[in-house]
Amino acid sequence: MTLTKNTFIGEYTYALDSKGRINIPSKFRKSLSKDNKNTFVISRGMDKCIYVYPLIKWKEIESNLRNLSSLSSVNRTFVRNTARFATPSTYDKQGRISLSASLIKYARLDKDVQIIGMVNKMEIWNPKELNKTEKETLKIDYAAYDALAEKITI
């Protein structure tokens, strides 16, 4: 059960079909508020994964991107790399969205994929890439991790 709309938590394993479609978990579709019109925006993740945002969350990102000065080369590059791979996808009657060939290649997706709820978005991973990334993050600076954890009030 998800307590608030447009919130995604949990982990699911699905299969990518031969047409580049993937099923969005029913729990996640039910969490999507009506103002999203059954639409997500799909883009490259910061890691070797695909980000899937509810349409209204993507609109917030667009607004933030518009506020970055295009006079800065760093800003231009960030906006370019964020927006160029983004594409809207409305899920079909079976709850599937279509992924572009370039995103499938970027995330190194094969038949089996993992969909992870990341609170305000989803991530789609090749399980091998996720395992590799998780092993690398085990080398984190625990003082920095603890400092971040302290920002979360319970």
Side-chain angles (χ1 to χ4, degrees):
M1 176 177 84
T2 300
L3 300 177
T4 58
K5 289 292 183 185
N6 303 312
T7 299
F8 311 100
I9 57 174
E11 179 179 40
Y12 301 87
T13 301
Y14 280 92
L16 182 69
D17 73 14
S18 61
K19 295 180 181 178
R21 297 175 302 193
I22 188 166
N23 194 285
I24 296 296
S26 170
K27 178 181 171 185
F28 291 172
R29 292 192 316 267
K30 288 176 184 173
S31 171
L32 198 63
S33 62
K34 291 192 185 304
D35 51 348
N36 287 291
K37 301 174 184 165
N38 298 339
T39 302
F40 295 97
V41 175
I42 306 159
S43 188
R44 260 188 186 188
M46 295 294 178
D47 298 304
K48 284 288 184 187
C49 67
I50 297 170
Y51 286 167
V52 181
Y53 293 95
L55 180 61
I56 62 169
K57 292 292 180 191
W58 179 259
K59 287 180 179 181
E60 292 174 21
I61 292 168
E62 277 184 350
S63 177
N64 289 330
L65 292 173
R66 280 187 179 96
N67 289 328
L68 294 174
S69 171
S70 63
L71 298 177
S72 163
S73 63
V74 171
N75 289 358
R76 286 192 312 274
T77 301
F78 184 79
V79 171
R80 184 179 306 118
N81 288 330
T82 302
R84 76 189 282 190
F85 300 105
T87 184
S89 184
T90 302
Y91 64 81
D92 65 15
K93 291 178 183 172
Q94 287 79 38
R96 298 172 302 191
I97 57 171
S98 295
L99 304 177
S100 70
S102 67
L103 288 177
I104 291 169
K105 183 178 177 181
Y106 170 77
R108 299 180 179 131
L109 297 183
D110 206 10
K111 185 169 175 61
D112 293 325
V113 299
Q114 283 186 281
I115 302 175
I116 300 172
M118 294 289 291
V119 184
N120 67 336
K121 66 180 173 286
M122 293 171 253
E123 291 181 346
I124 301 174
W125 284 89
N126 172 323
K128 292 175 186 171
E129 290 296 320
L130 177 59
N131 188 31
K132 183 174 146 185
T133 299
E134 286 178 334
K135 284 181 181 177
E136 290 171 5
T137 60
L138 290 176
K139 301 172 189 169
I140 63 169
D141 174 0
Y142 285 100
Y145 192 81
D146 286 342
L148 178 59
E150 288 175 8
K151 294 180 181 182
I152 307 297
T153 55
I154 298 177

